[in-house]
């Protein structure tokens, strides 16, 4: 049974005349030919090069995204035409670990602004590597399993609506937000390093990061009680996800993708200045954090296997957010890799994409 949770309504971005003005202004950044046709699958964003050239490309894309969000035309999945040598219709579902990569000039892709879909995230890399006919990217930062059935807070339609009978490949990464990943980071890394007088401010700013979780209860409580209960609910909810995918796209091969390893062993963690916030909790609590991330991948793996999906769990050690920046697949602050904090780097997404492509060819 799919259990829906209460949602706060998503408010409009602008109102009245401002909507029309902004929409018209930003729409001029997109040529009519591009707006009226399916764009080609974008090339991999350049890791280096002219900041002016990269920035101009990102500004045009971001302008298009904002205009689409204002007028409602750009809230759905991002649809691209590929070369046509691989799967005919590939649909990517999921949360920010599927949607969000390097947030830097030249990387920002099409779609709702709040979804932050980037062209180096693993679904886009997989689509390029396979040479798909059509790539539909419905993934969205902040998504939970409920967003597969219900509109997201930013107005994006249910992700499952991107599926149809012609879909022959589906990837999904979901569960981290359902089980309070953000609450664990706040409770186990941010709050223990915050001065008591500043805690009300931090709690106010972070309260919306993990709806339904109370990070003020402490690291152990969030993991042992709140997240444990949510993991059980996620396990049951995933069967409904797979059942609906099978109903809408009966011929599709489904690949479920787990989460990159973020928290390493204590020896690596204690030697890394970038992971210093985790020193504020006890060794036992650090073990709980590692157990928590392993628990998410265990649920993802078990649900995928019992529903006949191909399972990819890219949690190889040695590339956590505590390793040197050039080896990281996840970055704690994102400052050294132009990533979103506690999210995959471009290198991390490239690794995940490689695992997916290998699984599909095996």
């Amino acid at each position: 049974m799919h259990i829906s949770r209460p949602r706060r309504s998503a408010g409009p971005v602008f109102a009245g005349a401002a909507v029309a003005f902004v929409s018209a202004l930003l729409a001029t950044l997109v040529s009519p030919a591009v707006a009226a046709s399916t764009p080609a699958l974008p090339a991999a964003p350049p890791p280096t090069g002219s900041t002016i050239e990269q920035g101009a490309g990102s500004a045009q894309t971001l302008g298009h995204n904002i205009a689409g969000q204002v007028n409602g035309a750009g809230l759905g999945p991002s649809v691209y035409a590929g070369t046509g040598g691989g799967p005919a219709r590939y649909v990517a579902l999921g949360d920010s670990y599927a949607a969000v990569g390097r947030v830097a000039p030249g990387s920002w892709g099409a779609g709702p602004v709040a979804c932050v879909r980037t062209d180096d995230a693993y679904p886009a890399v997989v689509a390029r590597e396979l040479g798909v006919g059509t790539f539909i990217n419905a993934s969205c930062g902040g998504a939970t399993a409920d967003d597969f059935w219900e509109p997201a807070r930013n107005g994006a339609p249910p992700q499952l609506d991107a599926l149809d009978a012609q879909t022959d490949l589906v990837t999904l990464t979901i569960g981290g937000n359902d089980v309070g990943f953000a609450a664990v980071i706040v409770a186990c890394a941010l709050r223990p390093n915050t001065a008591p007088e500043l805690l009300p401010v931090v709690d106010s700013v972070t309260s919306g990061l993990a709806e339904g979780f109370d990070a003020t209860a402490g690291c152990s409580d969030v993991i042992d009680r709140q997240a444990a209960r949510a993991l059980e609910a996620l396990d049951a909810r995933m069967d409904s996800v797979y059942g609906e995918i099978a109903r809408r796209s009966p011929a599709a091969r489904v690949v479920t993708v787990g989460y990159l390893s973020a928290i390493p062993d204590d020896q690596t963690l204690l030697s890394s200045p970038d992971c210093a916030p985790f020193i504020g909790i006890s060794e036992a609590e650090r073990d709980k954090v590692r157990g928590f991330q392993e628990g998410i991948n265990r649920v993802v793996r078990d649900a995928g296997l019992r529903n006949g999906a191909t399972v990819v769990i890219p949690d190889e050690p040695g590339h956590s957010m505590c390793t040197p920046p050039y080896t990281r697949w996840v970055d704690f602050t994102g400052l050294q890799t132009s990533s979103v904090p506690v999210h995959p780097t471009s290198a991390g997404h490239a690794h995940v994409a490689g695992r997916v492509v290998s699984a599909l060819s095996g």
Side-chain angles (χ1 to χ4, degrees):
M1 177 184 296
H2 171 64
I3 302 172
S4 176
R5 293 179 297 176
R7 288 192 176 277
R8 296 172 298 185
S9 60
V13 180
F14 299 104
V19 172
F21 174 76
V22 173
S23 179
L25 176 63
L26 294 174
T28 63
L29 294 171
V30 187
S31 68
V34 172
S37 62
T38 302
L41 184 62
T48 59
S50 167
T51 300
I52 294 177
E53 292 175 353
Q54 293 185 49
S58 285
Q60 183 175 17
T61 301
L62 185 57
H64 185 185
N65 294 353
I66 295 173
Q69 187 137 356
V70 169
N71 63 31
L75 292 175
S78 306
V79 182
Y80 301 99
T83 58
R89 183 179 174 90
Y90 164 35
V91 176
L93 310 172
D95 57 26
S96 56
Y97 267 59
V100 185
R102 182 168 63 96
V103 183
S107 297
W108 203 298
V113 177
C115 287
V116 197
R117 296 174 190 147
T118 63
D119 294 335
D120 65 331
Y122 86 77
V125 181
V126 168
R128 286 192 290 265
E129 290 286 326
L130 295 179
V132 300
T134 302
F135 171 45
I136 301 96
N137 190 356
S139 64
C140 190
T144 67
D146 282 339
D147 293 331
F148 282 12
W149 283 272
E150 304 169 7
R153 291 180 196 155
N154 63 11
Q159 292 192 27
L160 289 170
D161 287 356
L163 301 173
D164 63 13
Q166 285 69 52
T167 301
D168 53 358
L169 175 62
V170 177
T171 61
L172 68 152
T173 297
I174 201 71
N177 295 316
D178 294 82
V179 300
F181 184 80
V184 170
I185 297 299
V186 172
C188 301
L190 184 56
R191 295 189 88 255
N193 294 279
T194 300
E197 60 271 18
L198 295 178
L199 283 175
V201 176
V202 170
D203 293 338
S204 175
V205 171
T206 61
S207 61
L209 291 178
E211 184 181 6
F213 294 85
D214 178 15
T216 68
C219 181
S220 292
D221 183 84
V222 170
I223 294 174
D224 291 342
R225 183 177 62 85
Q226 301 179 49
R229 185 174 55 205
L231 278 167
E232 292 181 5
L234 175 66
D235 190 48
R237 187 176 295 127
M238 290 303 293
D239 290 331
S240 297
V241 170
Y242 287 109
E244 192 63 18
I245 292 173
R247 186 183 73 82
R248 299 189 188 212
S249 303
R253 183 168 182 182
V254 180
V255 182
T256 186
V257 181
Y259 291 85
L260 292 158
S261 179
I263 312 296
D265 59 273
D266 259 13
Q267 182 178 354
T268 303
L269 189 152
L270 293 170
S271 64
S272 170
D274 295 303
C275 282
F278 287 98
I279 308 304
I281 59 176
S282 68
E283 180 179 353
E285 287 177 319
R286 290 195 293 271
D287 286 340
K288 290 178 187 292
V289 175
R290 282 185 283 268
F292 166 74
Q293 66 178 7
E294 292 167 1
I296 299 175
N297 279 337
R298 183 177 61 256
V299 168
V300 169
R301 178 188 295 109
D302 292 349
L305 290 175
R306 69 173 177 264
N307 284 281
T310 298
V311 178
V312 172
I313 306 294
D315 61 351
E316 295 86 347
H319 300 274
S320 73
M321 56 192 184
C322 304
T323 59
Y326 60 88
T327 67
R328 286 178 195 164
W329 290 345
V330 178
D331 199 348
F332 185 63
T333 66
L335 296 176
Q336 294 167 298
T337 58
S338 299
S339 306
V340 172
V342 200
H343 276 75
T345 64
S346 283
H349 277 296
H351 170 71
V352 174
R355 289 285 310 274
V356 171
V357 172
S358 294
L360 288 169
S361 62

